Amino acid sequence: MSPPSAVGQNLVRVTAASSLAGPNYTDSSEPPAVAPVATTVPELAELDPSKVKITLTRNPKPFHENPGAPDTTTDHWITAKWNYKTGWQTPELKPSGPIDLWPAASCLHYATECFEGLKAYRGFDGSLRLFRPNCNAARMIISSTRIALPSCSPSALEELIKLLISHDAPKWLPKPGTCLYIRPTMIGTGTALGVQIPKEAMLFILAAVFPVLDAKPMRLLASRENSIRSWPGGFGFAKVGANYGPSLMAHEEAQSKGYDQILWIFDKSCQVTEAGASNFFVIWRNKDTNKLQLITAPLDNRIILDGITRRSVLEIARDRLTGTTGELEGLEIVERTYTMTDLIDAHKDGRFIEAFATGTAYFISPVYDIHFRGTDIQPLQKSGRYTTLIKGWLKGIMYGKERNEWAVVVKEVGFKTETIDETEVEAFAKKIRELKGNTAWAAALERVAREI
């Protein structure tokens, strides 16, 4: 992939000043024809999962199911480096470890960092599945290019995600009905300070044991007038770190008051947007038509994230809930702007039926209380029928109870480690101890670290 400055510049026309200044040249005459001069534009390497270098761990981590443990990551991760001159380097699957970064790295100063979140599911049939990973991979590229990080093929990214869990899931996801969290991340790296497009970057993918967050209904605290999560023309639609850090103080305040998340409000009209880092849905009865509606904020002003769970809820609701079946009343599925005033009016009129938040971490979590500037707003149903139905359908797809193209089965390689001769290890350790006493040790170690 060519850098932006090279696009469309494979041919450069060169016009010599002397050719335009000859005695026969006038304003009305045609300038002499100039042959195009071809220039060589370096072809940048694409991210290629078929060339991945695999180095298995020699020191496997102890298996645990505790998401509160100091280290919740699995044994391996995947990395791939990029630079503007050559493109993507060979990706590696290797033992989990720290990142080697220069203090001047772009991500540490200019927020050139984005990520994705998805899960691997151990089905009740024993199979390993991902849920709509193509959507996560495509969204990752939207996020990376929003902050001037490199692009790559979404399918290549998806293949690398599959590769990681094909190795580590057999060990870390042994029980049916459980899941692992997967975090693809891209950061701007480099060695020079300066507000500029990163000339180097790094992609990495890790997997981790993660707590179950959808087990109980949520309480939400509406954001203050002077607190805004995102705005039109900004980057609320992209999954970048800069969307999350500034919101943590508000989140901490909400939790200190007994709430689970912030309900983010936008504009003086108090438009309802997102619940924490999750999308937000309401089921109410329309005051004009008396029809039951599933309402969520739209994507058109680009202040909310196009969540994969959000998208799936809307699609499955349109497919299965728009018609009345028996005692289950059909829903109108509506994506539009609505305000806290609309929600309060629905609450006062007894039209506010259900509410829930959606996302990878919280999956589908019912909302039973919203506090907005002195007023508590509560739906008629704490954990409603429609919320439960939608959640059950999606969970059935994720864990293989229902066959659906959204669930992608991943063939497992099996967890393996490299065997090692302890005598050889001790011999190397002895040499390292001897070398460490040399005054050139630190400089040599730094040089080798740069090379690898």
Side-chain angles (χ1 to χ4, degrees):
M1 179 183 69
S2 298
S5 61
V7 175
Q9 296 182 13
N10 291 338
L11 293 179
V12 178
R13 289 188 179 272
V14 179
T15 305
S18 59
S19 68
L20 298 180
N24 297 326
Y25 179 74
T26 65
D27 289 344
S28 60
S29 63
E30 290 292 327
V34 180
V37 178
T39 62
T40 303
V41 177
E43 185 175 343
L44 299 184
E46 298 286 351
L47 183 64
D48 189 348
S50 70
K51 296 180 180 179
V52 66
K53 176 184 176 183
I54 297 177
T55 304
L56 300 176
T57 183
R58 292 180 173 182
N59 298 291
K61 297 180 179 182
F63 170 74
H64 66 82
E65 299 176 282
N66 178 16
D71 179 11
T72 64
T73 58
T74 63
D75 289 87
H76 300 94
W77 67 329
I78 286 179
T79 67
K81 294 182 178 180
W82 174 92
N83 73 66
Y84 77 107
K85 289 184 177 179
T86 59
W88 288 101
Q89 297 177 16
T90 301
E92 296 183 66
L93 183 148
K94 59 188 180 181
S96 296
I99 296 176
D100 185 17
L101 271 182
W102 283 87
S106 175
C107 62
L108 301 178
H109 301 271
Y110 309 113
T112 51
E113 184 271 348
C114 66
F115 60 92
E116 265 303 319
L118 66 159
K119 290 177 179 176
Y121 302 88
R122 177 64 68 193
F124 292 104
D125 59 354
S127 295
L128 178 66
R129 290 177 175 85
L130 293 170
F131 183 74
R132 308 189 79 173
N134 58 317
C135 297
N136 291 96
R139 189 174 64 181
M140 178 85 168
I141 308 310
I142 292 173
S143 298
S144 70
T145 53
R146 176 62 181 85
I147 52 174
L149 287 175
S151 178
C152 68
S153 163
S155 61
L157 177 57
E158 184 180 344
E159 288 305 310
L160 290 175
I161 292 169
K162 291 176 181 177
L163 179 66
L164 176 61
I165 63 167
S166 73
H167 279 82
D168 279 11
K171 172 182 174 178
W172 291 92
L173 205 55
K175 295 181 180 179
T178 58
C179 60
L180 273 178
Y181 193 86
I182 307 168
R183 173 54 58 85
T185 306
M186 195 185 298
I187 58 175
T189 55
T191 59
L193 287 172
V195 183
Q196 59 185 325
I197 292 176
K199 294 183 178 180
E200 297 178 41
M202 179 181 179
L203 167 71
F204 60 88
I205 307 168
L206 56 87
V209 177
F210 205 72
V212 176
L213 300 176
D214 61 300
K216 66 182 184 71
M218 300 169 63
R219 299 182 70 210
L220 304 180
L221 175 65
S223 59
R224 295 182 179 184
E225 293 181 23
N226 62 351
S227 182
I228 299 174
R229 193 197 73 86
S230 62
W231 53 92
F235 41 83
F237 66 93
K239 206 166 178 68
V240 298
N243 269 331
Y244 296 84
S247 71
L248 297 180
M249 289 295 291
H251 176 65
E252 178 66 21
E253 178 188 359
Q255 291 198 322
S256 70
K257 295 179 178 180
Y259 296 91
D260 298 288
Q261 290 284 352
I262 288 284
L263 180 63
W264 290 104
I265 307 303
F266 174 71
D267 193 53
K268 292 181 179 180
S269 61
C270 296
Q271 298 171 22
V272 179
T273 61
E274 294 189 322
S278 304
N279 297 122
F280 182 66
F281 286 81
V282 166
I283 296 177
W284 67 21
R285 194 168 293 280
N286 186 287
K287 66 178 180 179
D288 297 319
T289 65
N290 203 39
K291 291 183 177 180
L292 211 55
Q293 295 179 326
L294 175 67
I295 302 282
T296 194
L299 301 175
D300 50 15
N301 57 8
R302 308 192 86 188
I303 65 172
I304 70 168
L305 192 69
D306 181 9
I308 311 306
T309 312
R310 174 191 183 275
R311 184 187 304 188
S312 303
V313 167
L314 289 170
E315 290 177 11
I316 207 164
R318 287 188 174 109
D319 183 56
R320 303 183 184 186
L321 288 174
T322 53
T324 298
T325 306
E327 297 181 358
L328 190 68
E329 184 178 350
L331 298 176
E332 287 186 345
I333 315 302
V334 182
E335 297 176 72
R336 74 165 177 86
T337 299
Y338 66 102
T339 67
M340 287 303 301
T341 300
D342 296 329
L343 205 52
I344 291 171
D345 288 345
H347 169 67
K348 288 179 179 179
D349 297 344
R351 297 182 289 105
F352 182 20
I353 313 300
E354 300 179 32
F356 57 92
T358 67
T360 301
Y362 279 87
F363 186 35
I364 296 178
S365 296
V367 172
Y368 73 95
D369 183 40
I370 303 167
H371 185 82
F372 175 67
R373 300 171 191 174
T375 301
D376 285 306
I377 308 160
Q378 298 165 339
L380 296 177
Q381 298 177 20
K382 185 174 182 178
S383 185
R385 186 176 183 183
Y386 293 95
T387 304
T388 304
L389 265 178
I390 293 170
K391 185 174 183 177
W393 286 332
L394 292 181
K395 185 174 282 190
I397 294 170
M398 292 166 174
Y399 289 103
K401 286 187 174 181
E402 176 185 334
R403 294 189 65 178
N404 191 291
E405 62 181 7
W406 290 350
V408 179
V409 176
V410 178
K411 184 179 180 181
E412 298 176 75
V413 173
F415 183 79
K416 300 175 183 178
T417 61
E418 277 194 20
T419 57
I420 186 169
D421 187 333
E422 285 300 326
T423 304
E424 185 181 356
V425 172
E426 184 52 40
F428 269 101
K430 183 179 179 180
K431 289 181 181 178
I432 290 171
R433 293 187 195 103
E434 293 172 354
L435 292 170
K436 194 173 180 181
N438 192 295
T439 55
W441 165 262
L445 187 64
E446 182 180 335
R447 181 175 299 177
V448 172
R450 287 200 300 268
E451 292 172 356
I452 61 176

